[in-house]
Amino acid sequence: MMKNVHLATEADEDDIYSGYNDYNPTFDTEDLENDPAFQQAVKTSHGRRPPLTAKVPGTSGSRPLATGYGSKTTLSSSMGRPMTAAVQDGVARPMTAVQAAGYTKAVSRGSVFDPLGQARGPAPPLETKNEDSPEGKIKQLEKKVNELVEESCIAHSCGDLKLALEKAKDAGRKERALVRQREQTMSPANINLDLTYTVLFNLASQYSANEMYAEALNTYQVIVKNKMFVNGGMLKVNMANIYLKQRNYSKAIKFYRMALDQIASVHKEMRIKIMQNIGVAFIKTGQYTDAISSFEHIMSTSPNLKAGFNLILCYFATGDREQMKKAFQKLIAVPLGIDDDDKYISQGDDPHTNLLIEAIKNDSLRQMERERKATAEKYIMTAAKLIAPAIETSFAVGYDWCVEMVKASQYVELANDLEINKAITYLRQKDFNQAVETLKMFEKKDSRVKSAAATNLSFLYFLENEFTQASHYADLAVNSDRYNPSALTNKGNTIFANGDYEKAAEFYKESLRNDSSCTEALYNIGLTYKKLNRLDESLDSFLKLHAILRNSAQVLFQIASIYELMEDPNQAIEWLMQLISVVPTDSHALAKLGELYDSEGDKSQAFQYYYESYRYFPSNIEVIEWLGAYYIDTQFCEKAIHYFERAALIQPTQVKWQLMVASCFRRSGNYQKALDTYKAIHRKFPENAECLRFLVRLCTDMGLKEIQEYATKLKRVEKLKEIREQRVKSGRDGSARARREGSGGGDPGSITHKGERLSAKLKALPGTYEPYESSGNKEIDASYIDPLGPQAERPKTALRKKMDEDEFADEELGDDLLPE
C-alpha cells in the first residue's frame, strides 16, 4: 500500500500547482502548420462546414486544442467569444468552481496560501463619528438629560428631596435647550415627546414632594394642556391629590371627576381608587350624602374594607341606624382573598411536605396575609365599638347584635374579643360590677379567651385592693395559659402586695422568659429588687427598661432614686436632669433636684430648682418652707413673708406660719405691722403662749398700755399649761405603776412633750435666742412626694391587651401607671 503513497517534496511545497503544465505532445499546437495531415484536413470540405448553431461554434472552429490548464495562444471561436479558460489581459482566469477557495494561477505563483487574507495586516480602524456634528450633539444632550432624571429619582428614593429637586430642574433646563437645538437643525416633527413628558412629570413630582404645591400644579398644567401628550389627562389625579393636601376640597373633587372621565372603564381598580378619594373629599366637606353615594357604588361593584368602614362612618354621622346595620353586614362580608390557616399545619409525616410548610409558614406572602387579616379585624372591631351604642337603645344590646353578626361571618374568632371590649366599655362608664359580670362569662370558654378574661378580672380586683380575688383570678389565668406574660405579672403583683418579694420576683422572671418585651414585668422586678435592697440588680433592670422606653418618666425617676440610695448624688442629678427634659413641668422632680443640690451645698442651684418647683406647684409645704428659710437666711425677710403667708393659707390651723409672718415683720423693722399680726394671731389662738410672749415684749418696747393685760393672760396660760402637764404626768405614772405591779418590773415610761416645734431648717435660722424660736412648734412632716406615685411603691398591673383594644384600655386603665 505504501508504494501508492506520494510524499510531497520541497519543490511541491514551493509551488503547489507544479505539474499542471505537463501535457501530452500530441496536443502541442505549435507544430500544426508543419503537420501535413492537419493541413489536408483543413483544405477539405470538412474544415469548411458551417457551425451547427448560430450561437455555438462547431467543433471544427478555430480554437485552441490545448486544455484549460495552460494554453499559450488565444484562439477565438467563429463568434469571437473566448473560451471559459482563456487568458485575458495577461491574467489567468480561474475556473469558476474553485474561485471561492482562492485557486488562481497568476496570484498563487510565488505566494503563500492565504485564503483568509491574513498577510494583508489588520483591518483599518472604523471611521469615528464626528461628535461636533449637530446629530452627535443632540444625542449627547439626550443622554445627559436621561442621566439627570435617573439621578433625581435615586435621590428621591434615598430621602434627599432637595437634591432630587435640583436634579429635576437641571434636567428641565437641558431638555429645553435640546428642544431648541432640534428645532434649529431638524424638523419639529422629530422632537422626542417621551423625553419631554418624563422630564416634566419628574419635575412636578419633586415639587410636590418638597411641598411646593403651586409650582407642582403649574408643571402638571403644562402636561395636561398639551394635546400632544395622549395620557396627560390621567395626571389630573395627581393635581387633585395636591388640592386635597391643601384642603381645597371643592377643586380636589372637580379634578378627581375630570380624571375619572378620562380613564377608560377597563382600568377598573384605578377608577375605584379615584371614587374612594372623591368620597373622602366629600366627608371632609361634610357632604355625607354624596360620600355615601360614592361608597355605596364601590361596595356594589368592588367591595373593600376601607370603603366599607368609611360607609359606616358616613351613616353614623347621619344617624341612620338601619343603614349602619346594613353597612356593618357589608363590611364583614368583604372577601379577604387569603387561605385558611390549616394550609400551614402539617398533616402527615412526609418530610418533603413538612419542609415545604416550614418554608412558607413565615414567608412574605404569609406576612402579607397576616397584615390583611389584622387590618380587617381592626376595622370590624372599631366599627362595632362605634355603632354599638347607636344602633340600639343601649350599648349592651348593640354589642350583642354585633356579636351575633360576627359569629355568623368568617370572623368567628372576633366574637369573644367583642365581648371583652364590651367589658372594657363598662369600665369606661365606671360600671365595674357589669364589667366583672361580663368577664366572668368567659370562665367556661376556651383557654385563650378564659386566660384573657381572668387576667382582666385580676387586674380589676387588684386596683380595688381585693388581693384575694385578684390572686384567685391570676391563678385561673396562669392555669389556662401558662405562657401568658400578663397573667404571670398579675400573679406576681398579688404576691408583691403580700410582702413576699422573693416569690414575686420568680413570677416576674417567668413572665420575662415567655416575653422578653413585657415592660410591666421588667419594671416590677426592678421594684422588687429595690425592696430587697439589691440595688445593683434593680439598677440593671431599670437600665434595660430604659433602653426599651427611652422617654419613660417613671423609669428615669427610678434610676435616679437608686443612684441616690447608692449615695451617688452626681449620677442621681444627671438622671433627674434627663427626667425634667422629658417632663419639664414636674414640680416634684424639680424639688428633688433642689434637695440634692442643697445636700451638696450648692444653694444657688437649689434655690433655682425649688423656685421652679414652687412656680409649677405652689402648694408644696416643703418647698415653701425651704424658700422662706432661704430668704430669711439671706436677710431678705420681706420676700419670705410671701411664702409664709402662702403656707398659712394652705394650713390655716397651724399657728407657726402666722407667727413666722409676724416674726418677719419684726425682723424687717415694721413693728406696728408685727404687733397687728400678733394681735390677730391672739384673737384666733388665745391660748398660744408664744404669741402672748411676743405681745408682752413688743408692748414693753413700744411703751403701750396693753402690756399688763397680755402679761396677765400669759401667766394664766402658763399656769393652765403646768396643770395640764401635771395631770398628764400623774396619769402616765399611774399607768406605769400598774404595769410594774402587773408585770413585776419594767422601765418607767418617759414623758413626751407634744408641743409644737419648728422644722430643722427654721431652727437653724439666726435669732434663735428669741422666745418663739427657742421654744418652737410642731415640726413639718416633710417627706418627698414621689412624682409618679406614693413612696410605698406598688407594682404595675398588666391588663390583657389585644391588637385592637381602644385607647381606654391602654391609657385610662393605666397598664403602665402606678396607682396613687
Side-chain angles (χ1 to χ4, degrees), residues 305-318:
L305 294 170
K306 287 185 179 180
F309 183 73
N310 288 335
L311 183 61
I312 292 175
L313 292 180
C314 292
Y315 282 128
F316 179 81
T318 56

Side-chain angles (χ1 to χ4, degrees), residues 587 589-616 622-634 636 639-640 642-643 761:
S587 61
L590 292 166
K592 190 65 179 177
L593 265 174
E595 180 184 338
L596 290 173
Y597 276 116
D598 188 25
S599 64
E600 291 292 300
D602 193 345
K603 293 288 185 181
S604 61
Q605 286 287 345
F607 171 75
Q608 176 185 348
Y609 288 109
Y610 271 123
Y611 181 76
E612 288 294 314
S613 176
Y614 173 79
R615 192 162 66 89
Y616 290 118
E622 180 190 5
V623 174
I624 293 172
E625 177 190 7
W626 192 94
L627 289 171
Y630 174 79
Y631 279 119
I632 293 176
D633 190 27
T634 54
F636 290 100
K639 293 186 177 181
H642 167 73
Y643 296 100
K761 291 184 178 64

